[in-house]
Amino acid sequence: MKDMADYDALDAEARRILHLNDRGGYTVPTDGLYPYQWNWDSAFAAFGFAQFDLDRAWVELETLMTGQWASGMVPHILFHQVDDRYFPGPDVWQGVGPIPSSGITQPAVAAIFARLIYEQAPEESRDRVMALWPKLRAWHRWFMDWRTDDAGAICVTHPWEAGRDNTPEWDAPLKRIDPQGVGEYTRRDTSHVDPAMRPTKFDYDRYIWLVNLGASVGWDDAKLKAINPFRVADPTMTFILLRAHRDLLALGEALGCDTAGIADEIAVLEAGARSLWNPELRCFDARDVVTGDWAGCVSSASFLCWGAGIDDAETAAHLDRVMAKVQYGVPSHDPESPRFEPKRYWRGPSWAIMNYLIGSGLAAMGKPQADMVRDHTRAAIEHHGFAEYFDPLTGDPAGGSTFTWTAAVWLGWASPNARG
Ligand code: 2M8
């Protein structure tokens, strides 16, 4: 246990990291490895900035929404300036939005933080959030139009869309893809980070094949839906959109916006969330929409249910079981599964952002595990710094360092000085 002076120093370091990664109006996740604006990273950055610079927090969200497509979709990467340290860049993606971008989205966390930041300072924030609200509404509507399955769950159409790139949930659906024609390409990620902590070539070939597929139809939602073999109904996207949609509704009501339709969409998403209950696993799970097969995975995404306002005793029992095996946060994959890899990206490591989404959800529903999730996250960061992710067994820092979202989660939630 550190004393308060040490925590003050960590707060200062977290603020320094946000400034370090600030490119003027937007924040990169970390220099080199990810030199662009990523969607959910940026929303977390806004949460971090809001702890000490309200104006800069709103600017972050405003810049993110400048990339919104005519369809309402908000891309997962905005390429404000070309940087050859990252692959695939804008030439491969061929996004069709107002600025160069990728062609897929990411979990819709922006409205969650828009509400939180607004409620922190309603007077000063009112005009800013009023301008953002219709854009967030259009993005959520696009999700309902193009990403729901028949049961109302939200689907991922590319492993990068859920933000949990190489999680075991995608193994079977990716195996069905023959990545013919992908050809030669040079990965950049493995020149920044140990390849043992990154997705495999098997995964990357299929990531790029799916990008090429989207680009081949100009990212036309209807055309792509008809030909894309990868469509998985997923707890990450579903629980997060459900939570964000509740926040969008509350925010819209507070601001006097036209909230017509949102309550009905919430009911659809609630049904969709329930459809992700795997009766054999006794937990929330991902479901391949093409084959109807369950992934059979207890993952950190399963534990996002509380954030979405859904309590479940059996999922809580899984959380207790999993947390008894680790010391540094919620593992991204079940540590008792043979597919668990404690240092490989989304196949085991603990991520501060998932811990935050899980922990704040547990707290909102008055669940006793909330403090434990926060304490684990605090321990990971205070012992091992602002890493991209952590080995949940040892706390070893992994992936990139001086990471924006880890700093933001520290400032907004994990630090003893945080108000959240
Ligand atoms: C990771 O994903 C990107 C692709 O989007 C990559 O590996 O190149 C994921 O952890 C994702 O969730 C995150 O938003 C992104 C930037 O931190 O990196």
Short mmCIF file of all heavy atoms in Angstrom, two decimals, residues 109-167:
data_model
loop_
_atom_site.label_atom_id
_atom_site.label_comp_id
_atom_site.label_asym_id
_atom_site.label_seq_id
_atom_site.Cartn_x
_atom_site.Cartn_y
_atom_site.Cartn_z
N VAL A 109 -19.14 3.39 -26.38
CA VAL A 109 -19.01 3.92 -25.02
C VAL A 109 -19.16 5.45 -24.94
O VAL A 109 -19.30 5.99 -23.84
CB VAL A 109 -17.67 3.51 -24.33
CG1 VAL A 109 -17.62 2.02 -24.08
CG2 VAL A 109 -16.48 3.95 -25.15
N ALA A 110 -19.14 6.15 -26.08
CA ALA A 110 -19.09 7.62 -26.03
C ALA A 110 -20.26 8.23 -25.24
O ALA A 110 -20.04 9.17 -24.45
CB ALA A 110 -19.05 8.19 -27.45
N ALA A 111 -21.48 7.72 -25.43
CA ALA A 111 -22.63 8.32 -24.72
C ALA A 111 -22.54 8.10 -23.21
O ALA A 111 -23.03 8.91 -22.42
CB ALA A 111 -23.94 7.76 -25.27
N ILE A 112 -21.90 7.00 -22.82
CA ILE A 112 -21.72 6.73 -21.38
C ILE A 112 -20.90 7.88 -20.76
O ILE A 112 -21.26 8.44 -19.71
CB ILE A 112 -20.98 5.39 -21.16
CG1 ILE A 112 -21.80 4.22 -21.74
CG2 ILE A 112 -20.64 5.18 -19.68
CD1 ILE A 112 -21.07 2.87 -21.73
N PHE A 113 -19.82 8.24 -21.45
CA PHE A 113 -18.97 9.29 -20.89
C PHE A 113 -19.56 10.68 -21.12
O PHE A 113 -19.35 11.58 -20.30
CB PHE A 113 -17.55 9.17 -21.44
CG PHE A 113 -16.89 7.90 -20.98
CD1 PHE A 113 -16.52 6.91 -21.85
CD2 PHE A 113 -16.71 7.68 -19.62
CE1 PHE A 113 -15.95 5.72 -21.41
CE2 PHE A 113 -16.15 6.50 -19.15
CZ PHE A 113 -15.76 5.53 -20.05
N ALA A 114 -20.30 10.86 -22.20
CA ALA A 114 -20.94 12.17 -22.42
C ALA A 114 -21.88 12.47 -21.25
O ALA A 114 -21.90 13.58 -20.71
CB ALA A 114 -21.70 12.17 -23.74
N ARG A 115 -22.64 11.47 -20.83
CA ARG A 115 -23.55 11.69 -19.70
C ARG A 115 -22.77 11.96 -18.41
O ARG A 115 -23.09 12.88 -17.65
CB ARG A 115 -24.45 10.47 -19.51
CG ARG A 115 -25.37 10.65 -18.32
CD ARG A 115 -26.24 9.45 -18.05
NE ARG A 115 -27.10 9.70 -16.91
CZ ARG A 115 -27.80 8.76 -16.30
NH1 ARG A 115 -27.76 7.51 -16.74
NH2 ARG A 115 -28.55 9.06 -15.25
N LEU A 116 -21.75 11.15 -18.20
CA LEU A 116 -20.97 11.29 -16.96
C LEU A 116 -20.32 12.67 -16.86
O LEU A 116 -20.35 13.33 -15.81
CB LEU A 116 -19.88 10.22 -16.99
CG LEU A 116 -19.52 9.59 -15.70
CD1 LEU A 116 -20.02 8.15 -15.70
CD2 LEU A 116 -18.03 9.59 -15.55
N ILE A 117 -19.74 13.11 -17.98
CA ILE A 117 -19.04 14.41 -17.98
C ILE A 117 -20.05 15.54 -17.85
O ILE A 117 -19.82 16.52 -17.12
CB ILE A 117 -18.17 14.54 -19.25
CG1 ILE A 117 -17.12 13.42 -19.30
CG2 ILE A 117 -17.48 15.91 -19.29
CD1 ILE A 117 -16.41 13.26 -20.64
N TYR A 118 -21.17 15.40 -18.53
CA TYR A 118 -22.23 16.42 -18.43
C TYR A 118 -22.70 16.55 -16.97
O TYR A 118 -22.80 17.66 -16.43
CB TYR A 118 -23.40 16.04 -19.33
CG TYR A 118 -24.65 16.85 -19.04
CD1 TYR A 118 -24.75 18.18 -19.42
CD2 TYR A 118 -25.72 16.27 -18.34
CE1 TYR A 118 -25.88 18.93 -19.12
CE2 TYR A 118 -26.85 17.01 -18.04
CZ TYR A 118 -26.93 18.34 -18.42
OH TYR A 118 -28.05 19.07 -18.12
N GLU A 119 -22.93 15.43 -16.32
CA GLU A 119 -23.47 15.49 -14.96
C GLU A 119 -22.46 16.04 -13.96
O GLU A 119 -22.83 16.57 -12.91
CB GLU A 119 -23.97 14.09 -14.53
CG GLU A 119 -25.27 13.77 -15.27
CD GLU A 119 -25.86 12.41 -14.94
OE1 GLU A 119 -25.18 11.61 -14.26
OE2 GLU A 119 -27.00 12.15 -15.38
N GLN A 120 -21.21 15.97 -14.34
CA GLN A 120 -20.15 16.52 -13.49
C GLN A 120 -20.20 18.07 -13.50
O GLN A 120 -19.89 18.70 -12.50
CB GLN A 120 -18.84 16.03 -14.10
CG GLN A 120 -17.59 16.26 -13.35
CD GLN A 120 -16.41 15.75 -14.20
OE1 GLN A 120 -16.36 14.58 -14.57
NE2 GLN A 120 -15.49 16.63 -14.52
N ALA A 121 -20.61 18.64 -14.62
CA ALA A 121 -20.63 20.11 -14.74
C ALA A 121 -21.71 20.51 -15.73
O ALA A 121 -21.42 20.94 -16.86
CB ALA A 121 -19.26 20.60 -15.21
N PRO A 122 -23.00 20.39 -15.35
CA PRO A 122 -24.09 20.58 -16.32
C PRO A 122 -24.12 21.98 -16.96
O PRO A 122 -24.32 22.09 -18.17
CB PRO A 122 -25.35 20.35 -15.48
CG PRO A 122 -24.90 19.66 -14.24
CD PRO A 122 -23.47 19.98 -14.04
N GLU A 123 -23.90 22.99 -16.17
CA GLU A 123 -23.99 24.35 -16.71
C GLU A 123 -23.00 24.58 -17.83
O GLU A 123 -23.35 24.98 -18.94
CB GLU A 123 -23.72 25.39 -15.59
CG GLU A 123 -24.86 25.50 -14.60
CD GLU A 123 -26.15 25.94 -15.28
OE1 GLU A 123 -26.15 26.98 -15.95
OE2 GLU A 123 -27.15 25.21 -15.15
N GLU A 124 -21.72 24.29 -17.51
CA GLU A 124 -20.64 24.54 -18.48
C GLU A 124 -20.73 23.59 -19.68
O GLU A 124 -20.18 23.89 -20.74
CB GLU A 124 -19.25 24.36 -17.85
CG GLU A 124 -18.94 25.26 -16.67
CD GLU A 124 -19.28 24.59 -15.34
OE1 GLU A 124 -20.43 24.13 -15.17
OE2 GLU A 124 -18.39 24.53 -14.48
N SER A 125 -21.38 22.44 -19.50
CA SER A 125 -21.36 21.42 -20.55
C SER A 125 -22.56 21.45 -21.48
O SER A 125 -22.55 20.81 -22.52
CB SER A 125 -21.32 20.03 -19.89
OG SER A 125 -20.16 19.88 -19.11
N ARG A 126 -23.58 22.18 -21.09
CA ARG A 126 -24.87 22.06 -21.77
C ARG A 126 -24.79 22.25 -23.30
O ARG A 126 -25.24 21.41 -24.07
CB ARG A 126 -25.87 23.06 -21.16
CG ARG A 126 -27.27 22.79 -21.58
CD ARG A 126 -28.28 23.75 -21.00
NE ARG A 126 -29.51 23.62 -21.75
CZ ARG A 126 -30.41 22.67 -21.55
NH1 ARG A 126 -30.26 21.81 -20.58
NH2 ARG A 126 -31.48 22.59 -22.32
N ASP A 127 -24.17 23.34 -23.74
CA ASP A 127 -24.12 23.60 -25.19
C ASP A 127 -23.31 22.54 -25.92
O ASP A 127 -23.67 22.12 -27.02
CB ASP A 127 -23.52 24.99 -25.46
CG ASP A 127 -24.44 26.10 -24.97
OD1 ASP A 127 -25.60 25.79 -24.63
OD2 ASP A 127 -23.98 27.26 -24.93
N ARG A 128 -22.24 22.14 -25.28
CA ARG A 128 -21.36 21.14 -25.93
C ARG A 128 -22.11 19.82 -26.13
O ARG A 128 -22.06 19.23 -27.19
CB ARG A 128 -20.11 20.88 -25.06
CG ARG A 128 -19.40 22.13 -24.57
CD ARG A 128 -18.73 22.90 -25.67
NE ARG A 128 -17.54 22.29 -26.20
CZ ARG A 128 -16.31 22.49 -25.71
NH1 ARG A 128 -16.14 23.24 -24.65
NH2 ARG A 128 -15.27 21.94 -26.30
N VAL A 129 -22.79 19.39 -25.08
CA VAL A 129 -23.45 18.08 -25.16
C VAL A 129 -24.71 18.15 -26.03
O VAL A 129 -25.05 17.19 -26.71
CB VAL A 129 -23.71 17.52 -23.74
CG1 VAL A 129 -24.90 18.15 -23.08
CG2 VAL A 129 -23.84 16.02 -23.77
N MET A 130 -25.34 19.31 -26.07
CA MET A 130 -26.51 19.50 -26.94
C MET A 130 -26.12 19.28 -28.41
O MET A 130 -26.88 18.70 -29.19
CB MET A 130 -27.07 20.93 -26.79
CG MET A 130 -27.99 21.14 -25.62
SD MET A 130 -29.55 20.25 -25.75
CE MET A 130 -30.51 21.41 -26.69
N ALA A 131 -24.93 19.76 -28.76
CA ALA A 131 -24.47 19.61 -30.15
C ALA A 131 -24.10 18.16 -30.46
O ALA A 131 -24.24 17.69 -31.59
CB ALA A 131 -23.28 20.54 -30.40
N LEU A 132 -23.63 17.43 -29.44
CA LEU A 132 -23.20 16.04 -29.66
C LEU A 132 -24.38 15.06 -29.68
O LEU A 132 -24.32 14.03 -30.35
CB LEU A 132 -22.24 15.61 -28.54
CG LEU A 132 -20.81 16.13 -28.62
CD1 LEU A 132 -20.05 15.72 -27.36
CD2 LEU A 132 -20.10 15.57 -29.86
N TRP A 133 -25.41 15.37 -28.91
CA TRP A 133 -26.48 14.40 -28.68
C TRP A 133 -27.09 13.84 -29.97
O TRP A 133 -27.20 12.62 -30.13
CB TRP A 133 -27.57 15.00 -27.76
CG TRP A 133 -28.48 13.95 -27.20
CD1 TRP A 133 -28.33 13.26 -26.03
CD2 TRP A 133 -29.68 13.44 -27.81
NE1 TRP A 133 -29.35 12.35 -25.87
CE2 TRP A 133 -30.19 12.44 -26.95
CE3 TRP A 133 -30.35 13.70 -29.00
CZ2 TRP A 133 -31.35 11.75 -27.24
CZ3 TRP A 133 -31.52 12.99 -29.29
CH2 TRP A 133 -32.00 12.03 -28.41
N PRO A 134 -27.47 14.71 -30.95
CA PRO A 134 -28.08 14.15 -32.18
C PRO A 134 -27.12 13.24 -32.94
O PRO A 134 -27.56 12.29 -33.60
CB PRO A 134 -28.40 15.39 -33.02
CG PRO A 134 -28.32 16.56 -32.09
CD PRO A 134 -27.40 16.18 -30.97
N LYS A 135 -25.85 13.51 -32.83
CA LYS A 135 -24.86 12.67 -33.54
C LYS A 135 -24.76 11.30 -32.86
O LYS A 135 -24.69 10.26 -33.53
CB LYS A 135 -23.50 13.37 -33.55
CG LYS A 135 -23.54 14.68 -34.31
CD LYS A 135 -22.24 15.44 -34.23
CE LYS A 135 -22.45 16.82 -34.88
NZ LYS A 135 -21.30 17.68 -34.73
N LEU A 136 -24.77 11.32 -31.55
CA LEU A 136 -24.75 10.04 -30.82
C LEU A 136 -26.03 9.26 -31.11
O LEU A 136 -26.02 8.05 -31.31
CB LEU A 136 -24.61 10.30 -29.31
CG LEU A 136 -23.27 10.89 -28.87
CD1 LEU A 136 -23.34 11.41 -27.42
CD2 LEU A 136 -22.14 9.86 -28.99
N ARG A 137 -27.15 9.99 -31.17
CA ARG A 137 -28.44 9.34 -31.48
C ARG A 137 -28.38 8.66 -32.85
O ARG A 137 -28.82 7.52 -33.01
CB ARG A 137 -29.56 10.41 -31.45
CG ARG A 137 -30.93 9.90 -31.89
CD ARG A 137 -31.51 9.00 -30.83
NE ARG A 137 -32.76 8.37 -31.20
CZ ARG A 137 -32.91 7.07 -31.45
NH1 ARG A 137 -31.88 6.25 -31.43
NH2 ARG A 137 -34.10 6.57 -31.70
N ALA A 138 -27.80 9.36 -33.83
CA ALA A 138 -27.72 8.80 -35.19
C ALA A 138 -26.81 7.57 -35.20
O ALA A 138 -27.10 6.59 -35.90
CB ALA A 138 -27.18 9.86 -36.15
N TRP A 139 -25.76 7.61 -34.43
CA TRP A 139 -24.84 6.45 -34.38
C TRP A 139 -25.56 5.24 -33.76
O TRP A 139 -25.52 4.13 -34.30
CB TRP A 139 -23.60 6.83 -33.56
CG TRP A 139 -22.54 5.78 -33.46
CD1 TRP A 139 -22.30 4.76 -34.35
CD2 TRP A 139 -21.57 5.66 -32.41
NE1 TRP A 139 -21.21 4.01 -33.91
CE2 TRP A 139 -20.75 4.54 -32.73
CE3 TRP A 139 -21.30 6.38 -31.25
CZ2 TRP A 139 -19.70 4.13 -31.91
CZ3 TRP A 139 -20.24 5.98 -30.45
CH2 TRP A 139 -19.46 4.88 -30.77
N HIS A 140 -26.26 5.47 -32.66
CA HIS A 140 -26.98 4.36 -32.02
C HIS A 140 -28.06 3.81 -32.94
O HIS A 140 -28.31 2.61 -32.97
CB HIS A 140 -27.59 4.82 -30.69
CG HIS A 140 -26.57 5.05 -29.60
ND1 HIS A 140 -26.89 5.08 -28.27
CD2 HIS A 140 -25.23 5.25 -29.65
CE1 HIS A 140 -25.80 5.30 -27.55
NE2 HIS A 140 -24.79 5.42 -28.36
N ARG A 141 -28.71 4.71 -33.70
CA ARG A 141 -29.75 4.25 -34.62
C ARG A 141 -29.13 3.35 -35.71
O ARG A 141 -29.70 2.33 -36.09
CB ARG A 141 -30.46 5.45 -35.25
CG ARG A 141 -31.65 5.07 -36.09
CD ARG A 141 -32.39 6.29 -36.61
NE ARG A 141 -33.25 6.91 -35.62
CZ ARG A 141 -33.23 8.20 -35.29
NH1 ARG A 141 -32.36 9.01 -35.85
NH2 ARG A 141 -34.08 8.68 -34.40
N TRP A 142 -27.94 3.76 -36.15
CA TRP A 142 -27.24 2.94 -37.16
C TRP A 142 -26.96 1.54 -36.60
O TRP A 142 -27.14 0.54 -37.29
CB TRP A 142 -25.94 3.66 -37.57
CG TRP A 142 -25.05 2.82 -38.41
CD1 TRP A 142 -25.09 2.69 -39.77
CD2 TRP A 142 -24.01 1.94 -37.96
NE1 TRP A 142 -24.12 1.78 -40.18
CE2 TRP A 142 -23.44 1.32 -39.09
CE3 TRP A 142 -23.48 1.63 -36.70
CZ2 TRP A 142 -22.40 0.40 -39.00
CZ3 TRP A 142 -22.44 0.72 -36.61
CH2 TRP A 142 -21.91 0.12 -37.75
N PHE A 143 -26.56 1.46 -35.35
CA PHE A 143 -26.36 0.13 -34.73
C PHE A 143 -27.64 -0.69 -34.81
O PHE A 143 -27.62 -1.88 -35.15
CB PHE A 143 -26.00 0.29 -33.24
CG PHE A 143 -24.53 0.36 -32.94
CD1 PHE A 143 -23.95 1.55 -32.52
CD2 PHE A 143 -23.72 -0.76 -33.04
CE1 PHE A 143 -22.60 1.62 -32.21
CE2 PHE A 143 -22.36 -0.71 -32.73
CZ PHE A 143 -21.80 0.49 -32.31
N MET A 144 -28.77 -0.04 -34.46
CA MET A 144 -30.04 -0.77 -34.46
C MET A 144 -30.41 -1.23 -35.88
O MET A 144 -30.95 -2.31 -36.07
CB MET A 144 -31.17 0.10 -33.89
CG MET A 144 -30.98 0.57 -32.45
SD MET A 144 -30.62 -0.74 -31.25
CE MET A 144 -32.12 -1.71 -31.26
N ASP A 145 -30.08 -0.40 -36.87
CA ASP A 145 -30.43 -0.74 -38.27
C ASP A 145 -29.53 -1.82 -38.85
O ASP A 145 -29.98 -2.66 -39.62
CB ASP A 145 -30.30 0.51 -39.16
CG ASP A 145 -31.41 1.52 -38.89
OD1 ASP A 145 -32.41 1.14 -38.24
OD2 ASP A 145 -31.27 2.67 -39.33
N TRP A 146 -28.24 -1.80 -38.52
CA TRP A 146 -27.28 -2.62 -39.26
C TRP A 146 -26.53 -3.66 -38.44
O TRP A 146 -25.81 -4.48 -38.97
CB TRP A 146 -26.26 -1.72 -39.98
CG TRP A 146 -26.94 -0.93 -41.02
CD1 TRP A 146 -27.20 0.41 -41.01
CD2 TRP A 146 -27.52 -1.45 -42.23
NE1 TRP A 146 -27.90 0.77 -42.13
CE2 TRP A 146 -28.11 -0.36 -42.90
CE3 TRP A 146 -27.62 -2.73 -42.80
CZ2 TRP A 146 -28.77 -0.51 -44.11
CZ3 TRP A 146 -28.26 -2.88 -44.01
CH2 TRP A 146 -28.83 -1.76 -44.65
N ARG A 147 -26.67 -3.63 -37.14
CA ARG A 147 -25.87 -4.55 -36.35
C ARG A 147 -26.71 -5.46 -35.44
O ARG A 147 -26.14 -6.26 -34.71
CB ARG A 147 -24.85 -3.78 -35.49
CG ARG A 147 -23.69 -3.15 -36.27
CD ARG A 147 -22.80 -4.19 -36.91
NE ARG A 147 -21.62 -3.61 -37.52
CZ ARG A 147 -21.55 -3.22 -38.80
NH1 ARG A 147 -22.60 -3.33 -39.59
NH2 ARG A 147 -20.43 -2.73 -39.29
N THR A 148 -28.05 -5.36 -35.50
CA THR A 148 -28.84 -6.27 -34.65
C THR A 148 -29.02 -7.62 -35.36
O THR A 148 -29.02 -7.69 -36.60
CB THR A 148 -30.25 -5.69 -34.37
OG1 THR A 148 -30.77 -5.16 -35.58
CG2 THR A 148 -30.22 -4.62 -33.31
N ASP A 149 -29.17 -8.67 -34.57
CA ASP A 149 -29.60 -9.95 -35.16
C ASP A 149 -31.11 -10.09 -34.90
O ASP A 149 -31.73 -9.17 -34.37
CB ASP A 149 -28.78 -11.13 -34.60
CG ASP A 149 -29.17 -11.52 -33.17
OD1 ASP A 149 -29.91 -10.75 -32.51
OD2 ASP A 149 -28.74 -12.60 -32.72
N ASP A 150 -31.69 -11.23 -35.29
CA ASP A 150 -33.14 -11.38 -35.17
C ASP A 150 -33.63 -11.27 -33.72
O ASP A 150 -34.77 -10.90 -33.46
CB ASP A 150 -33.58 -12.74 -35.74
CG ASP A 150 -33.41 -12.77 -37.25
OD1 ASP A 150 -33.24 -11.68 -37.83
OD2 ASP A 150 -33.40 -13.89 -37.82
N ALA A 151 -32.75 -11.61 -32.77
CA ALA A 151 -33.16 -11.58 -31.36
C ALA A 151 -32.95 -10.20 -30.72
O ALA A 151 -33.38 -9.97 -29.59
CB ALA A 151 -32.36 -12.63 -30.59
N GLY A 152 -32.28 -9.29 -31.44
CA GLY A 152 -32.03 -7.95 -30.88
C GLY A 152 -30.65 -7.77 -30.27
O GLY A 152 -30.36 -6.72 -29.69
N ALA A 153 -29.78 -8.79 -30.40
CA ALA A 153 -28.40 -8.62 -29.92
C ALA A 153 -27.59 -7.87 -30.98
O ALA A 153 -27.94 -7.89 -32.16
CB ALA A 153 -27.77 -9.99 -29.67
N ILE A 154 -26.53 -7.21 -30.53
CA ILE A 154 -25.67 -6.47 -31.47
C ILE A 154 -24.52 -7.38 -31.93
O ILE A 154 -23.89 -8.06 -31.11
CB ILE A 154 -25.12 -5.19 -30.81
CG1 ILE A 154 -26.28 -4.27 -30.37
CG2 ILE A 154 -24.19 -4.44 -31.77
CD1 ILE A 154 -27.12 -3.70 -31.49
N CYS A 155 -24.28 -7.33 -33.24
CA CYS A 155 -23.27 -8.23 -33.84
C CYS A 155 -21.99 -7.48 -34.18
O CYS A 155 -22.02 -6.30 -34.51
CB CYS A 155 -23.82 -8.79 -35.15
SG CYS A 155 -25.37 -9.67 -34.93
N VAL A 156 -20.90 -8.23 -34.15
CA VAL A 156 -19.63 -7.72 -34.69
C VAL A 156 -19.47 -8.29 -36.09
O VAL A 156 -19.79 -9.45 -36.34
CB VAL A 156 -18.41 -8.09 -33.84
CG1 VAL A 156 -18.35 -7.27 -32.60
CG2 VAL A 156 -18.37 -9.55 -33.50
N THR A 157 -18.96 -7.46 -37.00
CA THR A 157 -18.79 -7.89 -38.38
C THR A 157 -17.31 -7.98 -38.76
O THR A 157 -16.98 -8.24 -39.90
CB THR A 157 -19.50 -6.90 -39.33
OG1 THR A 157 -18.87 -5.62 -39.19
CG2 THR A 157 -20.97 -6.77 -38.97
N HIS A 158 -16.47 -7.73 -37.78
CA HIS A 158 -15.01 -7.84 -37.92
C HIS A 158 -14.48 -7.97 -36.49
O HIS A 158 -15.00 -7.30 -35.59
CB HIS A 158 -14.45 -6.57 -38.59
CG HIS A 158 -13.00 -6.68 -38.95
ND1 HIS A 158 -12.00 -6.81 -38.00
CD2 HIS A 158 -12.38 -6.71 -40.16
CE1 HIS A 158 -10.83 -6.91 -38.61
NE2 HIS A 158 -11.03 -6.85 -39.92
N PRO A 159 -13.47 -8.84 -36.26
CA PRO A 159 -12.98 -8.98 -34.88
C PRO A 159 -12.53 -7.65 -34.26
O PRO A 159 -12.61 -7.48 -33.04
CB PRO A 159 -11.78 -9.93 -35.04
CG PRO A 159 -12.11 -10.73 -36.26
CD PRO A 159 -12.81 -9.77 -37.18
N TRP A 160 -12.09 -6.71 -35.09
CA TRP A 160 -11.65 -5.41 -34.55
C TRP A 160 -12.83 -4.56 -34.08
O TRP A 160 -12.63 -3.58 -33.36
CB TRP A 160 -10.87 -4.64 -35.62
CG TRP A 160 -9.44 -5.11 -35.77
CD1 TRP A 160 -8.69 -5.73 -34.83
CD2 TRP A 160 -8.60 -4.96 -36.92
NE1 TRP A 160 -7.42 -5.99 -35.32
CE2 TRP A 160 -7.34 -5.53 -36.60
CE3 TRP A 160 -8.77 -4.40 -38.19
CZ2 TRP A 160 -6.27 -5.56 -37.50
CZ3 TRP A 160 -7.72 -4.43 -39.09
CH2 TRP A 160 -6.47 -5.00 -38.75
N GLU A 161 -14.04 -4.92 -34.50
CA GLU A 161 -15.19 -4.07 -34.17
C GLU A 161 -15.53 -4.12 -32.68
O GLU A 161 -15.90 -3.10 -32.09
CB GLU A 161 -16.40 -4.48 -35.01
CG GLU A 161 -17.42 -3.36 -35.15
CD GLU A 161 -18.32 -3.55 -36.36
OE1 GLU A 161 -18.87 -4.64 -36.54
OE2 GLU A 161 -18.49 -2.58 -37.12
N ALA A 162 -15.38 -5.28 -32.07
CA ALA A 162 -15.68 -5.39 -30.63
C ALA A 162 -14.53 -4.84 -29.79
O ALA A 162 -14.65 -4.74 -28.57
CB ALA A 162 -15.94 -6.84 -30.24
N GLY A 163 -13.40 -4.52 -30.45
CA GLY A 163 -12.25 -4.00 -29.69
C GLY A 163 -11.49 -5.10 -28.98
O GLY A 163 -10.44 -4.85 -28.40
N ARG A 164 -12.01 -6.34 -29.02
CA ARG A 164 -11.35 -7.46 -28.33
C ARG A 164 -10.84 -8.40 -29.42
O ARG A 164 -11.32 -9.50 -29.62
CB ARG A 164 -12.35 -8.14 -27.38
CG ARG A 164 -12.85 -7.16 -26.32
CD ARG A 164 -14.03 -7.68 -25.49
NE ARG A 164 -13.76 -8.98 -24.96
CZ ARG A 164 -14.40 -10.09 -25.35
NH1 ARG A 164 -15.35 -10.04 -26.27
NH2 ARG A 164 -14.09 -11.24 -24.81
N ASP A 165 -9.81 -7.91 -30.10
CA ASP A 165 -9.42 -8.40 -31.42
C ASP A 165 -9.31 -9.93 -31.56
O ASP A 165 -9.88 -10.51 -32.46
CB ASP A 165 -8.07 -7.80 -31.81
CG ASP A 165 -8.08 -6.28 -31.79
OD1 ASP A 165 -9.06 -5.68 -31.31
OD2 ASP A 165 -7.09 -5.69 -32.24
N ASN A 166 -8.51 -10.55 -30.69
CA ASN A 166 -8.21 -11.98 -30.89
C ASN A 166 -8.80 -12.85 -29.78
O ASN A 166 -8.27 -13.91 -29.46
CB ASN A 166 -6.69 -12.20 -30.97
CG ASN A 166 -6.01 -11.87 -29.66
OD1 ASN A 166 -6.57 -11.12 -28.85
ND2 ASN A 166 -4.83 -12.42 -29.43
N THR A 167 -9.90 -12.39 -29.21
CA THR A 167 -10.52 -13.18 -28.15
C THR A 167 -10.97 -14.55 -28.69
O THR A 167 -11.35 -14.66 -29.87
CB THR A 167 -11.72 -12.39 -27.56
OG1 THR A 167 -12.26 -13.13 -26.48
CG2 THR A 167 -12.81 -12.14 -28.58
#
